Amino acid sequence: MCIRDRTGAYLPLAMVACSADIKACFETKPLGWGATYQAHPVPLAAGYEAVKFLLQEDLVSKAKNDLEPVLAKNLRALADKYPAVANPRALGAFGCLDLLDADGRPVQRLDGSHMNHPDAVSKLRQALWDNGVYGLLRAPLFHCAPALVIKPEELEDGFTRVDKAMEVYNDAIFAK
């Protein structure tokens, strides 16, 4: 497993997690190469500080106990309100919705094929931007992954903005 961005995206840093058996093998038979900036002291220092902050602020518990309920509630509200949005899910500080067409099918495939409403997706992107929401929109999925330091009331404000954008998307899907 490769984990990136442990530095808060300030510097490139990657690490690998593996079982004790695999680790033991490489302790005696090193590969002689590593990931980008492998063992570089500056990204390692930044990564150390980022992990230290994560632990000091207990951000994992915050994601589960403070952010996940807000995400789950608001994603569910969007799916209940708009027929072109479905399957709300949240785990910790990661959430997602499926974007649908008027027939209840995904608006496109993940590879970009079968995009039957490119105008609706473009309008959603623009409406998100117009409402101050910046992030990953890879139709047919709408991802929500706020910074772990966000406050629940700030997340609520973000969902108020997303709701306005989803109204634009829903209207575009069902336009005659």
Side-chain angles (χ1 to χ4, degrees):
M1 177 169 96
C2 183
I3 303 170
R4 295 191 177 268
D5 291 331
R6 286 301 101 202
T7 65
Y10 289 107
L11 297 164
L13 175 66
M15 59 188 109
V16 177
C18 61
S19 70
D21 291 342
I22 292 172
K23 178 182 178 270
C25 175
F26 289 111
E27 289 289 336
T28 58
K29 300 173 193 151
L31 291 175
W33 57 269
T36 306
Y37 282 71
Q38 181 264 338
H40 192 284
V42 175
L44 286 173
Y48 173 75
E49 290 300 322
V51 170
K52 194 166 78 174
F53 181 81
L54 180 118
L55 295 172
Q56 286 172 343
E57 298 297 319
D58 198 18
L59 294 181
V60 173
S61 292
K62 179 184 177 192
K64 182 68 179 164
N65 300 324
D66 298 347
L67 302 181
E68 183 179 320
V70 176
L71 278 167
K73 177 189 79 164
N74 283 285
L75 292 169
R76 167 57 52 205
L78 291 169
D80 289 346
K81 185 174 182 179
Y82 300 112
V85 177
N87 197 20
R89 51 219 182 261
L91 180 62
F94 296 102
C96 192
L97 290 168
D98 295 342
L99 301 175
L100 307 177
D101 66 15
D103 295 323
R105 295 180 309 228
V107 72
Q108 76 177 46
R109 292 186 181 157
L110 279 173
D111 66 5
S113 64
H114 300 287
M115 185 174 213
N116 48 24
H117 284 283
D119 57 319
V121 174
S122 293
K123 288 179 181 179
L124 175 57
R125 284 183 203 282
Q126 187 62 51
L128 288 166
W129 182 266
D130 291 346
N131 283 284
V133 178
Y134 315 101
L136 175 63
L137 172 59
R138 185 168 183 223
L141 303 176
F142 174 79
H143 300 269
C144 183
L148 295 178
V149 295
I150 195 170
K151 294 178 176 76
E153 58 272 15
E154 293 169 327
L155 190 53
E156 291 283 357
D157 175 64
F159 272 107
T160 299
R161 296 161 185 256
V162 168
D163 185 4
K164 293 174 186 173
M166 285 300 175
E167 181 175 7
V168 170
Y169 173 74
N170 195 75
D171 289 350
I173 289 293
F174 291 101
K176 302 263 183 205

mmCIF file of all heavy atoms in Angstrom, residues 13 19 40 43 53 55 59 61 63 70 81 85 89 103 125 128 133 156 166 175:
data_model
loop_
_atom_site.group_PDB
_atom_site.id
_atom_site.type_symbol
_atom_site.label_atom_id
_atom_site.label_comp_id
_atom_site.label_asym_id
_atom_site.label_seq_id
_atom_site.Cartn_x
_atom_site.Cartn_y
_atom_site.Cartn_z
ATOM 1 N N LEU A 13 6.063 12.994 -0.629
ATOM 2 C CA LEU A 13 6.506 11.972 0.306
ATOM 3 C C LEU A 13 5.615 10.754 0.110
ATOM 4 O O LEU A 13 4.398 10.884 0.003
ATOM 5 C CB LEU A 13 6.397 12.469 1.750
ATOM 6 C CG LEU A 13 6.707 11.461 2.850
ATOM 7 C CD1 LEU A 13 8.189 11.064 2.805
ATOM 8 C CD2 LEU A 13 6.354 12.023 4.210
ATOM 9 N N SER A 19 3.107 -6.211 5.602
ATOM 10 C CA SER A 19 3.108 -7.136 6.737
ATOM 11 C C SER A 19 4.526 -7.301 7.279
ATOM 12 O O SER A 19 5.514 -6.997 6.608
ATOM 13 C CB SER A 19 2.559 -8.494 6.296
ATOM 14 O OG SER A 19 3.492 -9.123 5.427
ATOM 15 N N HIS A 40 14.385 11.542 1.818
ATOM 16 C CA HIS A 40 14.853 12.932 1.819
ATOM 17 C C HIS A 40 14.453 13.564 3.153
ATOM 18 O O HIS A 40 13.306 13.463 3.582
ATOM 19 C CB HIS A 40 14.236 13.696 0.652
ATOM 20 C CG HIS A 40 14.876 15.021 0.409
ATOM 21 N ND1 HIS A 40 14.635 16.105 1.216
ATOM 22 C CD2 HIS A 40 15.756 15.433 -0.545
ATOM 23 C CE1 HIS A 40 15.328 17.143 0.768
ATOM 24 N NE2 HIS A 40 16.015 16.758 -0.293
ATOM 25 N N PRO A 43 11.098 16.356 3.234
ATOM 26 C CA PRO A 43 9.742 15.801 3.267
ATOM 27 C C PRO A 43 9.494 14.904 4.482
ATOM 28 O O PRO A 43 8.383 14.874 5.000
ATOM 29 C CB PRO A 43 9.638 15.000 1.974
ATOM 30 C CG PRO A 43 10.707 15.518 1.087
ATOM 31 C CD PRO A 43 11.784 16.022 1.993
ATOM 32 N N PHE A 53 0.721 16.423 14.199
ATOM 33 C CA PHE A 53 -0.468 17.273 14.306
ATOM 34 C C PHE A 53 -1.737 16.421 14.258
ATOM 35 O O PHE A 53 -2.672 16.634 15.044
ATOM 36 C CB PHE A 53 -0.480 18.308 13.177
ATOM 37 C CG PHE A 53 -1.648 19.238 13.228
ATOM 38 C CD1 PHE A 53 -1.648 20.333 14.078
ATOM 39 C CD2 PHE A 53 -2.761 19.024 12.424
ATOM 40 C CE1 PHE A 53 -2.735 21.189 14.136
ATOM 41 C CE2 PHE A 53 -3.849 19.872 12.471
ATOM 42 C CZ PHE A 53 -3.840 20.959 13.327
ATOM 43 N N LEU A 55 -2.151 13.407 15.245
ATOM 44 C CA LEU A 55 -2.314 12.718 16.523
ATOM 45 C C LEU A 55 -2.648 13.690 17.652
ATOM 46 O O LEU A 55 -3.540 13.417 18.463
ATOM 47 C CB LEU A 55 -1.042 11.933 16.854
ATOM 48 C CG LEU A 55 -0.727 10.778 15.901
ATOM 49 C CD1 LEU A 55 0.642 10.194 16.204
ATOM 50 C CD2 LEU A 55 -1.804 9.712 15.945
ATOM 51 N N LEU A 59 -7.407 14.007 14.920
ATOM 52 C CA LEU A 59 -8.201 14.255 13.718
ATOM 53 C C LEU A 59 -8.941 13.015 13.222
ATOM 54 O O LEU A 59 -9.992 13.143 12.590
ATOM 55 C CB LEU A 59 -7.317 14.835 12.620
ATOM 56 C CG LEU A 59 -6.756 16.230 12.912
ATOM 57 C CD1 LEU A 59 -5.909 16.729 11.750
ATOM 58 C CD2 LEU A 59 -7.857 17.215 13.249
ATOM 59 N N SER A 61 -10.440 10.732 15.162
ATOM 60 C CA SER A 61 -11.689 10.709 15.939
ATOM 61 C C SER A 61 -12.611 11.842 15.521
ATOM 62 O O SER A 61 -13.825 11.669 15.447
ATOM 63 C CB SER A 61 -11.391 10.823 17.433
ATOM 64 O OG SER A 61 -10.746 9.667 17.886
ATOM 65 N N ALA A 63 -12.831 13.162 12.569
ATOM 66 C CA ALA A 63 -13.446 12.783 11.295
ATOM 67 C C ALA A 63 -14.614 11.835 11.526
ATOM 68 O O ALA A 63 -15.681 11.997 10.934
ATOM 69 C CB ALA A 63 -12.404 12.140 10.378
ATOM 70 N N VAL A 70 -22.203 14.858 10.007
ATOM 71 C CA VAL A 70 -22.600 16.019 9.197
ATOM 72 C C VAL A 70 -22.612 15.633 7.717
ATOM 73 O O VAL A 70 -23.547 15.981 6.984
ATOM 74 C CB VAL A 70 -21.655 17.213 9.454
ATOM 75 C CG1 VAL A 70 -22.001 18.394 8.546
ATOM 76 C CG2 VAL A 70 -21.702 17.634 10.918
ATOM 77 N N LYS A 81 -33.718 15.051 -1.736
ATOM 78 C CA LYS A 81 -34.290 16.247 -2.369
ATOM 79 C C LYS A 81 -34.250 16.193 -3.893
ATOM 80 O O LYS A 81 -35.175 16.679 -4.551
ATOM 81 C CB LYS A 81 -33.520 17.478 -1.879
ATOM 82 C CG LYS A 81 -34.066 18.802 -2.353
ATOM 83 C CD LYS A 81 -33.323 19.957 -1.699
ATOM 84 C CE LYS A 81 -33.880 21.301 -2.126
ATOM 85 N NZ LYS A 81 -33.155 22.415 -1.470
ATOM 86 N N VAL A 85 -29.735 12.620 -7.925
ATOM 87 C CA VAL A 85 -28.653 12.334 -6.984
ATOM 88 C C VAL A 85 -29.073 11.120 -6.159
ATOM 89 O O VAL A 85 -30.208 11.039 -5.702
ATOM 90 C CB VAL A 85 -28.412 13.545 -6.058
ATOM 91 C CG1 VAL A 85 -27.356 13.247 -5.026
ATOM 92 C CG2 VAL A 85 -28.022 14.765 -6.879
ATOM 93 N N ARG A 89 -23.196 8.188 0.736
ATOM 94 C CA ARG A 89 -22.387 7.381 1.634
ATOM 95 C C ARG A 89 -21.291 8.243 2.240
ATOM 96 O O ARG A 89 -20.799 9.161 1.586
ATOM 97 C CB ARG A 89 -21.802 6.168 0.937
ATOM 98 C CG ARG A 89 -21.073 6.499 -0.349
ATOM 99 C CD ARG A 89 -21.372 5.398 -1.391
ATOM 100 N NE ARG A 89 -20.682 5.581 -2.648
ATOM 101 C CZ ARG A 89 -21.231 6.117 -3.725
ATOM 102 N NH1 ARG A 89 -22.463 6.591 -3.692
ATOM 103 N NH2 ARG A 89 -20.560 6.187 -4.853
ATOM 104 N N ASP A 103 -33.304 8.861 -16.323
ATOM 105 C CA ASP A 103 -33.782 7.478 -16.228
ATOM 106 C C ASP A 103 -33.228 6.747 -15.014
ATOM 107 O O ASP A 103 -33.422 5.542 -14.871
ATOM 108 C CB ASP A 103 -33.410 6.710 -17.504
ATOM 109 C CG ASP A 103 -34.126 7.265 -18.729
ATOM 110 O OD1 ASP A 103 -35.301 7.668 -18.596
ATOM 111 O OD2 ASP A 103 -33.502 7.306 -19.806
ATOM 112 N N ARG A 125 -20.482 21.779 -12.525
ATOM 113 C CA ARG A 125 -19.132 22.292 -12.246
ATOM 114 C C ARG A 125 -19.146 23.812 -12.070
ATOM 115 O O ARG A 125 -18.558 24.344 -11.137
ATOM 116 C CB ARG A 125 -18.178 21.941 -13.389
ATOM 117 C CG ARG A 125 -17.730 20.533 -13.437
ATOM 118 C CD ARG A 125 -16.715 20.344 -14.587
ATOM 119 N NE ARG A 125 -16.645 18.989 -15.029
ATOM 120 C CZ ARG A 125 -16.004 18.013 -14.401
ATOM 121 N NH1 ARG A 125 -15.377 18.286 -13.279
ATOM 122 N NH2 ARG A 125 -15.995 16.791 -14.865
ATOM 123 N N LEU A 128 -20.976 24.862 -8.835
ATOM 124 C CA LEU A 128 -20.123 24.653 -7.664
ATOM 125 C C LEU A 128 -19.118 25.800 -7.547
ATOM 126 O O LEU A 128 -18.944 26.383 -6.485
ATOM 127 C CB LEU A 128 -19.408 23.301 -7.757
ATOM 128 C CG LEU A 128 -20.281 22.074 -7.555
ATOM 129 C CD1 LEU A 128 -19.551 20.815 -8.008
ATOM 130 C CD2 LEU A 128 -20.730 21.952 -6.102
ATOM 131 N N VAL A 133 -17.363 26.436 -4.157
ATOM 132 C CA VAL A 133 -17.013 25.051 -3.816
ATOM 133 C C VAL A 133 -16.023 24.550 -4.855
ATOM 134 O O VAL A 133 -16.310 24.534 -6.047
ATOM 135 C CB VAL A 133 -18.262 24.136 -3.784
ATOM 136 C CG1 VAL A 133 -17.862 22.699 -3.483
ATOM 137 C CG2 VAL A 133 -19.261 24.649 -2.765
ATOM 138 N N GLU A 156 -21.384 22.520 7.197
ATOM 139 C CA GLU A 156 -22.808 22.817 6.939
ATOM 140 C C GLU A 156 -22.933 23.933 5.907
ATOM 141 O O GLU A 156 -23.760 23.852 4.985
ATOM 142 C CB GLU A 156 -23.530 23.211 8.229
ATOM 143 C CG GLU A 156 -23.720 22.101 9.224
ATOM 144 C CD GLU A 156 -24.835 21.138 8.889
ATOM 145 O OE1 GLU A 156 -25.551 21.324 7.878
ATOM 146 O OE2 GLU A 156 -25.001 20.167 9.653
ATOM 147 N N MET A 166 -26.462 21.586 -6.775
ATOM 148 C CA MET A 166 -27.199 20.365 -7.136
ATOM 149 C C MET A 166 -28.573 20.697 -7.717
ATOM 150 O O MET A 166 -29.077 19.965 -8.562
ATOM 151 C CB MET A 166 -27.342 19.439 -5.930
ATOM 152 C CG MET A 166 -26.080 18.717 -5.562
ATOM 153 S SD MET A 166 -25.475 17.669 -6.913
ATOM 154 C CE MET A 166 -23.940 17.119 -6.174
ATOM 155 N N ALA A 175 -34.575 19.022 -17.610
ATOM 156 C CA ALA A 175 -35.052 20.060 -18.527
ATOM 157 C C ALA A 175 -35.649 19.413 -19.759
ATOM 158 O O ALA A 175 -35.152 18.425 -20.281
ATOM 159 C CB ALA A 175 -33.903 20.987 -18.913
#
